[in-house]
Every structure is written in C-alpha cells, then in structure tokens.
Amino acid sequence: MAMISSTAPLISSSAPPRLDSAGDMGAALRGWKQIAAYLHRDVRTVQRWERSEHLPVHRQLHLKLGTVRAVPVELDKWLANRTSPRAGAQMSFRTRDPRAFELYLKGRQLFHQFRRKSFQRASEMFNRAVALDPEFAIAHSGLADCCSYLYLYWEPTLDNLRLADSASRRAVMLSPELAEAQVSRAVALSTLRNYSEAEQVFRIAIEIDPNCFEAHYFYGRACLAQGKYEEAIAPLRSACVVRADDYQAPTLLGLAYTGMGRRQAASRTYAQAIKVAKQQLAVSPGDVRALYLGAGCLARIGRRKTALAWAARALDLDGKDSAVLYNVGCLYAILGRPADALRCLKKVVRSGWRKEWIKHDPDWTALRGLKEFVALVS
C-alpha cells in the first residue's frame, strides 16, 4: 500500500488555488475524506492534526457546519515541516492532470477498505489515472498494490501477478527516491515469493523514509507469511510507533507474539489493537476490517461475547468476502468451534486465498491435527 508523504504537491501548479468561491477551488480537496486520503491517514487522525498541530484546513462560510477544504500545496508545506528528514527530498511523482489526481484519491479510498470488490474498483481508478498521465508514479504504485492483493487473496491469475510486477517496476523507475514506490515493489516481490529481495527493498524504503508506515507494516507482514515471527516483531513495533492510530499493526504484532508463545506481550498488544479499532469504529461504524480484526483480538483475550458480536456485524456487512470469512474462521478456531471454522476456511480456500499464510497463522493451531484442515491447506 503506498502512501503519500511528499514535500512536493501531486498536482503541479504555480500557485495554490484560492478558496474564495466554489468556482475558484482549482485542485482543492473537498471534505475530510479527501484530505485524509491525500495524507493517507484516517479522518479521525487528520481532524486531530487540525486541532493539535494546526493542519491547514479551511472552513467554508455560509455553508453547512463541517464543510471543509484544503489545498494540496499547503498540506505539502505543513507535512514538510512535520517530517523534516524528507524536507529536502526531490520527488518526481507529480501529475499535471487534476483528473488523474482525483482518480488516484478515489482509488486509495477504495483500497483501504481491503475487500475484493473495493480492490477491483480501485484498480479501475488507478488504471484510468495512468491512462491520463503515464508518468504518475504513485498511480502505478497503487495499481501494483491492488494486483498484488487480488492475487494473494482473491484472484490468483497470471495477469494479476504480471501486472503487479510490471506496475511496481514502473513506479520505481519513475521515482526511485519515493519510499511508497519501493514498498509497492517489495510487496510485489513478496507476492512472487522472492522474499530475500523483498526484504532488501523494504529496508531501502525505510532508509528513504523512516516514517513510512507501509514500509514497516508490510515488511512485518512478509515475515509473518513465512512464519518468521521473531523477525516480524521489530518492523511491526516500528509500524505501531509511526502510526499509533492504526489497528492493523498491533493486531499483527500480537499475532507474532502469539506465534512465539509470548502470551502476556500478545495480550497487551491485542488490547491496544482493540482500543484503536473502537476509536476507528466510532468514526466509521461500517469499517469491516476494524470489525473482523478487532473481533479476533477480542477472542484472543477471552472476550467471547463481544468478539462474536463484532464478527456478526462484519458478516452482515460483507459475509461473502473471503477476507471477512477468513478472519471470522480464525475467531471460531480460537473459540473452540472447529466445525464453524472449517466451514469458513473451505469457502476461503475455494476463493483462491494463498495457503502459505494459513499454514503459518497461529490462529489455526488448534485445528492443525484435523485431517480436514490438513487436506484444505495441503
């Protein structure tokens, strides 16, 4: 998942657009969702930044309460001051086409939903952005990420594999100094099972930008996919530090501790993940990923009733998606309901989910001796 944390505006312009009228907005970002997508944070985080760190957000007069606007160049300047290690970086991933930028924003908003249909729609957005501006590196990066995850969890086709490889190569070629492009390349290499080179590229991304959340998070995730629990801990800890308001990193960190048998550390980390997931659900009650990951964490610390309630909400929202079914299956395995767990897992395996992750996921420990489980993952 590539992120924007650049000091250069994505849309090249000689001066920031004025905010005097709706007809003179130019490339302005409209509303909290677009501002959050541009900065690649959730809405709650950017609202906190506005309150506590003076994020440059403009409120429209004479319109309904809560209508906000932001100018990309102003956000870039604020971000440069906030992340000084990259303040002098010269990034080459601008686009001169506002339409390409808008498509990119829409694609990233869809990408973070982490569901099959959202990845498919995000791919369409990134493809259209690239068609408008073939030099838009971050759009190539987004396309590569979508293809990698579609291949890993839903559509293991040769076309997805080849496009993940080619789009990530293109992103790096266009902007080798962009950490997010390097992350996309590393994710594609992991998808190709070239883990040794992927880890090298993850480290390059971290060297370029130590504050790039995705570099740490996906590095840790790649380690978990190989069953390298101890090696996963350091990058996942860093991801938790870089973005304290993310619930995914502490969830996977807890999984790494579980794989190592470090129960107390795992319980503390799961509790933190639940706390952050609750905060996210307060802002976005329909965040399916927060529900099913949070449900698993609740199950692991013994909060069975609440875990099942969260899982039920996730199933109600998107019960056919394999990511939802996989994680609900994990929850059933943790809670000692093997028949329900295997029923979910059968559907997941039929969808094309990569068995490598299942084989190394400690959530399935209680089922590993069952012949049906062995048959599913063999």
Side-chain angles (χ1 to χ4, degrees):
M1 206 172 350
M3 295 282 295
I4 307 171
S5 56
S6 166
T7 61
L10 284 173
I11 298 181
S12 299
S13 59
S14 58
R18 291 168 57 91
L19 293 172
D20 296 335
S21 68
D24 195 24
M25 289 301 297
L29 304 167
R30 299 181 176 91
W32 287 114
K33 287 186 178 180
Q34 284 200 359
I35 297 169
Y38 183 82
L39 295 170
H40 265 279
R41 296 294 187 269
D42 56 49
V43 169
R44 180 173 54 83
T45 299
V46 296
Q47 288 174 336
R48 174 170 54 80
W49 281 352
E50 192 226 358
R51 292 192 305 270
S52 63
E53 300 186 41
H54 307 292
L55 181 73
V57 172
H58 305 265
R59 282 178 166 77
Q60 293 295 97
L61 299 177
H62 313 301
L63 294 176
K64 67 179 181 179
L65 184 64
T67 301
V68 295
R69 302 286 188 272
V71 182
V73 70
E74 294 178 354
L75 297 180
D76 292 328
K77 182 177 179 181
W78 178 88
L79 194 62
N81 292 330
R82 190 175 190 270
T83 57
S84 56
R86 299 187 73 192
Q90 295 297 316
M91 294 302 172
S92 56
F93 64 101
R94 305 180 186 186
T95 179
R96 294 186 179 277
D97 194 324
R99 296 170 299 169
F101 176 65
E102 292 295 330
L103 288 166
Y104 171 79
L105 284 180
K106 291 177 182 178
R108 275 302 172 195
Q109 289 170 352
L110 289 164
F111 180 91
H112 287 296
Q113 295 176 23
F114 211 90
R115 286 182 274 176
R116 181 178 187 170
K117 59 187 178 184
S118 64
F119 278 121
Q120 290 170 334
R121 291 174 60 201
S123 293
E124 294 175 9
M125 298 296 108
F126 294 133
N127 266 314
R128 289 169 60 189
V130 167
L132 289 168
D133 183 357
E135 305 300 308
F136 194 12
I138 201 76
H140 288 280
S141 181
L143 179 59
D145 292 339
C146 285
C147 292
S148 289
Y149 281 97
L150 283 169
Y151 180 87
L152 285 171
Y153 300 121
W154 291 279
E155 301 171 12
T157 65
L158 192 57
D159 284 346
N160 275 329
L161 195 62
R162 286 173 174 168
L163 193 50
D165 185 36
S166 61
S168 63
R169 287 179 184 274
R170 177 70 171 161
V172 172
M173 185 191 74
L174 288 169
S175 193
E177 74 282 17
L178 178 62
E180 292 81 357
Q182 296 288 351
V183 172
S184 294
R185 182 62 192 150
V187 170
L189 287 166
S190 298
T191 304
L192 292 161
R193 290 192 173 92
N194 189 346
Y195 289 113
S196 177
E197 187 177 351
E199 290 176 9
Q200 294 176 23
V201 178
F202 278 127
R203 287 193 286 270
I204 290 171
I206 292 168
E207 184 176 351
I208 292 171
D209 181 9
N211 292 320
C212 180
F213 169 81
E214 281 70 21
H216 300 287
Y217 174 74
F218 287 111
Y219 188 0
R221 190 180 179 92
C223 291
L224 286 178
Q226 303 169 75
K228 297 165 64 174
Y229 305 123
E230 186 172 2
E231 291 87 341
I233 288 175
L236 289 172
R237 278 178 175 168
S238 296
C240 291
V241 171
V242 169
R243 192 179 299 173
D245 49 20
D246 176 81
Y247 56 81
Q248 299 170 101
T251 298
L252 293 192
L253 179 57
L255 203 63
Y257 285 135
T258 299
M260 293 182 66
R262 296 176 58 179
R263 295 184 179 180
Q264 289 186 345
S267 294
R268 288 195 300 269
T269 310
Y270 290 139
Q272 177 61 24
I274 293 164
K275 178 182 177 181
V276 180
K278 284 182 177 179
Q279 293 170 344
Q280 173 63 14
L281 289 167
V283 174
S284 180
D287 190 329
V288 177
R289 188 159 172 80
L291 285 168
Y292 66 65
L293 290 182
C297 293
L298 286 161
R300 294 179 193 110
I301 64 171
R303 296 177 59 183
R304 183 187 186 97
K305 184 176 179 180
T306 308
L308 289 169
W310 283 33
R313 287 169 61 192
L315 289 170
D316 286 343
L317 288 167
D318 200 354
K320 294 182 179 180
D321 188 87
S322 58
V324 178
L325 289 168
Y326 179 82
N327 284 278
V328 173
C330 289
L331 177 144
Y332 288 144
I334 295 166
L335 296 180
R337 294 171 54 171
D340 292 330
L342 288 169
R343 186 175 64 253
C344 290
L345 189 59
K346 285 179 185 177
K347 296 177 182 178
V348 168
V349 170
R350 283 199 297 267
S351 76
W353 192 278
R354 194 161 182 164
K355 295 180 181 179
E356 187 176 26
W357 183 274
I358 304 171
K359 291 177 181 178
H360 295 299
D361 191 337
D363 285 347
W364 297 104
T365 299
L367 276 65
R368 296 199 186 281
L370 301 180
K371 291 182 179 179
E372 194 171 2
F373 178 85
V374 174
L376 282 171
V377 301
S378 61

